[in-house]
Amino acid sequence: MAASDGARTIMSLPAGFAAAIAVCLCLGCSGPGTMVSFSQGRGERLAQLLSFETRREQSAIVRRSTLYREPQLEHYIERMVACLMPDGGVEGVVPQVVLISAPGQNAYSFPDGAIYIHTGLLSHLESEAELALLLAHELAHVTRRHALRALAAGPAETDETIFDRTLSDSLAWFHELTAQKELAQPYAARVSLRRSLEQEADRVGLDMVIKAKYDPYEALKIFEHLKEGNGSGTGGKRPALLLEALSPTHLPAGRSTDPTVFRNHLQNLLLEQGRLEVRHGRWDEALRCARRLLRDSPNHARGHFLLGEVLRQRNEAEEVPQALAHYFQAIAADPSLPEPYKAIGLIHLKKGQARSARGFFESALALAPHAHDNDYIRSYLTQCITTIEGEDL
Amino acid sequence: MKPRFWICLILMALLASCAHGGGKPALTFNAAVPEGWKEIPTDDAMMFMTKEGGYKQFVLIRERPLSEPFQFTKKTMNPGMMPEAAAEVVVNEILADSNVRNFSVTENTPARIAGYSGFRLAFVYTDADGFVFKTLYYGFIKGDTFYNIRYGATQEDYFQKDLKTFEKVCDSFKLVAAK
């Protein structure tokens, strides 16, 4: 679901396909819903090219990415995809959702039905209906064969070109081919085709959402939430166009979507995303994840600890009392969690309160005698004891 | 940043410095270059030394102002930061590098370097070309500067072979007034 209107991509294609589609937009820009015509032989060759590129890109993604694995969430999403897919399926398409642990709002699909969604994007969604629209948009790209249409829209490649390149096993051939096409096509045409494909995916996707009995108005809130997340908007015209297209007969939605079910499914993801954002030093995003988690689950011990960590590690002196409060809430929610004890100890140690710090470090060690950071905790304890002995002399 | 690419950059910096003679900032540390090793001159505030080439083994000693941002993580170091927190920034920087795969910290402990409280990290990772690197990394903060001493080698046998040499380099490391 690449955003149109030059807005930041909310669900963009990876470089290879982006290039292919952007390139191939040009010649055959025929507008939403219109199939680009090409001979059967050429279609088969292009499908072969796409199949090759799909496998290559997917291998590259697996190599360079960290997959987010959570069986319950994956199963939940699989069931949603099954509801959204057209009856009878689509030949050659096996929908499969892969979650990538990464910041940023990104999702993309491949012609074989694989849909890749970054956890950074998922963490912004507020309801199952929004997730349904995201999935349906990507499925629409797949079922309407947008990659193939975009590729076919470019100038015809010769049989020799394709044959030589597929035989050569060179990883560069596809990009060379698409780059050549790109050069042959004007920018405006590429943008026009991309926009038309996105609009079609929006429209077809929304139809899928309605057929699956989700509330389309709730689903369309995804644009607001992603806009909040990326600050630059996701193309204000897109939701407006879709809202205009909705007829009053679409209401009401038949599917009951208890928001707490969706929120429960997202809890672990929000925690992991928050930790990931902390590693990247993206404090605002980390704060958002932690606060969202605690909004949905106010007694989440690790959520309180995460929020405390963000506030402490941001190194803003005025936030230390808030950090402490969240550490204590984490302990109240789960007294067996060692990390908050250590964090409180560190705050006291930094303030020069060795006596207070000592007890917290001892608690952390007692709760997790074999933790990987115990050498550090022991060194802090030694500092505390040295300071206390100095004070007692 | 891709580690091998990074090594290339260092080597290029060396060539550049050979070509126009300098501009290297005065270092506030020194360390002995082991016998049989050579120091590769660079324009940056670092010492880069190797015996058989940077792709086989290297020792890199670097000082960086705390104000200098890291490339991948937006986390920063600050004066008075605990060694453990500084180690975490280093680990986060490597974790956030998309060219690094299979990154695994095998040791993260407090350490003393030239009398200063710091940390010792040991980690392994695979670079984008599939080469497995093993690294020992010491670091500490003094004032507004983060000092780090690292030893990296591509293969286990290379790593083990020069481990003691690296420890000797560490023992010889000391801070000096900038000249």
Side-chain angles (χ1 to χ4, degrees):
Chain A
M1 186 189 274
S4 57
D5 305 321
R8 179 175 170 165
T9 299
I10 54 174
M11 291 156 254
S12 64
L13 296 164
F17 276 105
I21 289 187
V23 163
C24 306
L25 312 182
C26 324
L27 294 185
C29 180
S30 49
T34 309
M35 292 302 291
V36 177
S37 62
F38 46 80
S39 69
Q40 189 180 351
R42 183 173 180 235
E44 284 170 4
R45 289 196 301 271
L46 292 179
Q48 186 187 351
L49 293 182
L50 279 176
S51 174
F52 184 92
E53 175 66 5
T54 293
R55 290 195 298 274
R56 194 190 72 80
E57 282 288 347
Q58 290 177 352
S59 299
I61 290 169
V62 169
R63 275 201 310 275
R64 67 173 179 251
S65 308
T66 304
L67 303 187
Y68 178 80
R69 303 308 309 263
E70 189 187 336
Q72 277 192 322
L73 177 62
E74 290 169 59
H75 184 54
Y76 173 67
I77 294 174
E78 275 170 23
R79 277 186 280 132
M80 289 181 66
V81 169
C83 291
L84 291 163
M85 271 297 279
D87 292 338
V90 176
E91 190 186 346
V93 172
V94 182
Q96 185 199 4
V97 176
V98 180
L99 303 180
I100 304 283
S101 183
Q105 299 180 9
N106 209 3
Y108 40 87
S109 53
F110 286 92
D112 63 354
I115 297 172
Y116 290 74
I117 306 176
H118 285 198
T119 50
L121 191 158
L122 271 182
S123 73
H124 280 274
L125 306 188
E126 289 283 354
S127 70
E128 186 174 313
E130 290 179 26
L131 176 55
L133 184 56
L134 165 66
L135 294 168
H137 177 102
E138 295 305 327
L139 283 172
H141 278 309
V142 176
T143 59
R144 305 289 286 194
R145 303 200 184 284
H146 282 177
L148 184 60
R149 283 166 58 187
L151 195 59
E157 53 299 299
T158 64
D159 287 350
E160 291 75 18
T161 308
I162 293 177
F163 187 71
D164 288 350
R165 287 173 190 278
T166 49
L167 273 188
S168 73
D169 203 29
S170 159
L171 296 183
W173 66 267
F174 184 85
H175 297 294
E176 286 171 17
L177 179 64
T178 53
Q180 285 166 11
K181 288 186 168 198
E182 187 159 18
L183 287 175
Q185 297 168 351
Y187 175 77
R190 294 200 305 272
V191 172
S192 173
L193 179 57
R194 176 187 290 189
R195 188 170 294 165
S196 73
L197 293 177
E198 288 304 323
Q199 286 172 352
E200 184 180 68
D202 279 348
R203 204 184 58 253
V204 173
L206 191 61
D207 283 344
M208 287 178 176
V209 163
I210 291 165
K211 280 180 187 154
K213 300 191 188 315
Y214 285 101
D215 179 345
Y217 293 100
E218 193 184 349
L220 286 170
K221 287 181 184 165
I222 188 175
F223 290 100
E224 288 171 35
H225 296 136
L226 295 183
K227 184 177 179 181
E228 286 164 10
N230 67 27
S232 60
T234 57
K237 288 180 186 171
R238 293 173 69 187
L241 284 172
L242 289 168
L243 276 169
E244 278 174 22
L246 279 177
S247 84
T249 56
H250 284 132
L251 286 175
R255 183 180 291 274
S256 169
T257 52
D258 180 353
T260 57
V261 172
F262 178 76
R263 288 171 184 176
N264 287 342
H265 276 296
L266 237 55
Q267 280 190 11
N268 288 338
L269 183 137
L270 283 168
L271 182 64
E272 289 305 319
Q273 190 65 23
R275 289 170 172 163
L276 178 71
E277 301 291 4
V278 167
R279 287 204 295 273
H280 283 262
R282 290 162 42 118
W283 303 119
D284 290 345
E285 277 299 294
L287 269 182
R288 183 188 61 77
C289 290
R291 288 188 168 135
R292 161 92 186 269
L293 177 58
L294 291 173
R295 182 201 69 185
D296 297 342
S297 180
N299 290 318
H300 200 293
R302 293 191 182 278
H304 280 293
F305 175 67
L306 173 65
L307 186 48
E309 282 294 273
V310 178
L311 294 168
R312 181 177 70 88
Q313 290 192 30
R314 285 214 298 190
N315 206 33
E316 307 281 347
E318 68 273 17
E319 290 179 342
V320 171
Q322 289 180 60
L324 269 176
H326 283 288
Y327 290 139
F328 280 113
Q329 283 179 272
I331 291 170
D334 182 359
S336 69
L337 206 59
E339 292 92 341
Y341 289 96
K342 176 188 169 189
I344 296 170
L346 283 170
I347 288 175
H348 284 300
L349 186 61
K350 202 169 179 181
K351 286 181 180 173
Q353 299 162 342
R355 287 174 201 275
S356 306
R358 179 179 180 174
F360 287 100
F361 290 134
E362 285 172 343
S363 296
L365 283 176
L367 285 168
H370 305 294
H372 64 89
D373 56 352
N374 279 357
D375 284 344
Y376 282 110
I377 299 177
R378 287 190 196 97
S379 76
Y380 302 143
L381 258 180
T382 304
Q383 281 183 54
C384 290
I385 291 166
T386 306
T387 305
I388 292 167
E389 286 174 352
E391 287 170 356
D392 288 345
L393 280 176
Chain B
M1 187 186 293
K2 191 171 168 181
R4 279 157 58 87
F5 175 68
W6 183 83
I7 293 169
C8 283
L9 272 186
I10 294 172
L11 295 174
M12 284 164 67
L14 146 75
L15 292 173
S17 65
C18 290
H20 54 76
K24 184 183 179 88
L27 297 177
T28 60
F29 66 85
N30 68 30
V33 178
E35 197 178 323
W37 287 54
K38 58 190 173 221
E39 183 184 351
I40 314 284
T42 82
D43 272 352
D44 298 310
M46 63 172 71
M47 280 180 81
F48 183 78
M49 49 186 96
T50 180
K51 186 166 69 177
E52 295 154 281
Y55 292 115
K56 289 186 177 172
Q57 80 285 99
F58 69 87
V59 172
L60 172 66
I61 310 175
R62 191 177 177 201
E63 58 180 271
R64 59 180 295 158
L66 297 185
S67 57
E68 185 182 323
F70 286 90
Q71 189 173 356
F72 298 105
T73 183
K74 290 179 181 167
K75 278 187 169 181
T76 54
M77 292 185 179
N78 52 70
M81 193 177 219
M82 297 281 201
E84 184 183 14
E88 196 173 320
V89 174
V90 171
V91 169
N92 290 164
E93 170 70 358
I94 300 167
L95 274 172
D97 180 351
S98 61
N99 289 302
V100 170
R101 299 195 301 270
N102 306 322
F103 178 70
S104 170
V105 176
T106 54
E107 184 184 338
N108 181 357
T109 55
R112 288 195 79 78
I113 305 110
Y116 298 95
S117 291
F119 62 84
R120 171 186 156 112
L121 282 172
F123 53 85
V124 290
Y125 61 91
T126 308
D127 78 359
D129 297 324
F131 289 89
V132 177
F133 277 80
K134 196 166 181 180
T135 298
L136 257 184
Y137 191 120
Y138 288 91
F140 68 95
I141 291 172
K142 168 77 168 47
D144 292 326
T145 306
F146 172 56
Y147 294 89
N148 58 79
I149 311 171
R150 73 184 86 168
Y151 166 56
T154 49
Q155 292 174 37
E156 182 65 26
D157 52 345
Y158 279 105
F159 185 85
Q160 290 299 336
K161 202 163 64 178
D162 292 303
L163 204 48
K164 284 187 179 167
T165 307
F166 171 61
E167 296 296 349
K168 282 180 187 167
V169 174
C170 291
D171 290 342
S172 73
F173 173 87
K174 61 184 175 191
L175 297 189
V176 295
K179 292 172 186 172

